[in-house]
Amino acid sequence: MDQLQEQVEERTAWPRAIAENLASLVREHRERTLGEYELYLLAARRPALRPAARKWIEVASGYVNGGRGGDQPMVRALFAAIDGILMQALIADEPPTADDLEPVLRFLVQPVDYLRDGGAIP
């Protein structure tokens, strides 16, 4: 997370940086990423594992908005979406690239800007 934050100098660069990170997780670090989601599923059945399964969300949430946090529903929605993106990427025949993921992340990180500039809502 520290390395990701260091490479991003302006707000508009976040979607690309996150997309590159997620693409790496499903391409170069696939086995580790699978293991993390297996931990999630085990934690659903074994309450003792739940704190460990939630740890990354707690750590990653501390980086939102330059470490100032954010609106909890927004933060939860963002990380739920990232989990969904990773799960879909793990079952894809061909894992997505950063180019595939960037538009999705751009929407998730900046939905109001996206909708105002070209989406369905004026």
Side-chain angles (χ1 to χ4, degrees):
M1 290 301 295
D2 286 331
Q3 290 174 344
L4 187 61
Q5 194 167 27
E6 287 174 8
Q7 77 185 50
V8 176
E9 295 182 13
E10 56 186 67
R11 181 178 68 90
T12 58
W14 274 109
R16 182 64 189 193
I18 296 169
E20 289 173 355
N21 182 266
L22 296 182
S24 173
L25 289 175
V26 297
R27 289 175 170 273
E28 289 96 44
H29 305 285
R30 181 178 176 78
E31 291 304 315
R32 178 182 172 186
T33 304
L34 281 168
E36 289 171 356
Y37 283 103
E38 288 170 352
L39 172 63
Y40 266 25
L41 293 175
L42 281 173
R45 297 180 195 273
R46 299 182 186 165
L49 296 174
R50 291 176 187 167
R54 288 190 299 255
K55 187 65 178 174
W56 91 267
I57 296 171
E58 294 167 9
V59 170
S61 294
Y63 285 86
V64 171
N65 200 20
R68 295 183 304 276
D71 177 63
Q72 281 305 308
M74 182 277 305
V75 172
R76 288 182 67 200
L78 175 62
F79 288 112
I82 288 172
D83 281 337
I85 290 167
L86 286 171
M87 291 294 286
Q88 290 177 5
L90 288 168
I91 64 168
D93 290 331
E94 179 63 32
T97 66
D99 288 340
D100 297 328
L101 296 173
E102 184 178 1
V104 176
L105 274 296
R106 190 159 301 285
F107 174 79
L108 290 173
V109 175
Q110 303 169 33
V112 175
D113 292 343
Y114 173 82
L115 292 172
R116 187 177 303 131
D117 291 341
I121 299 173

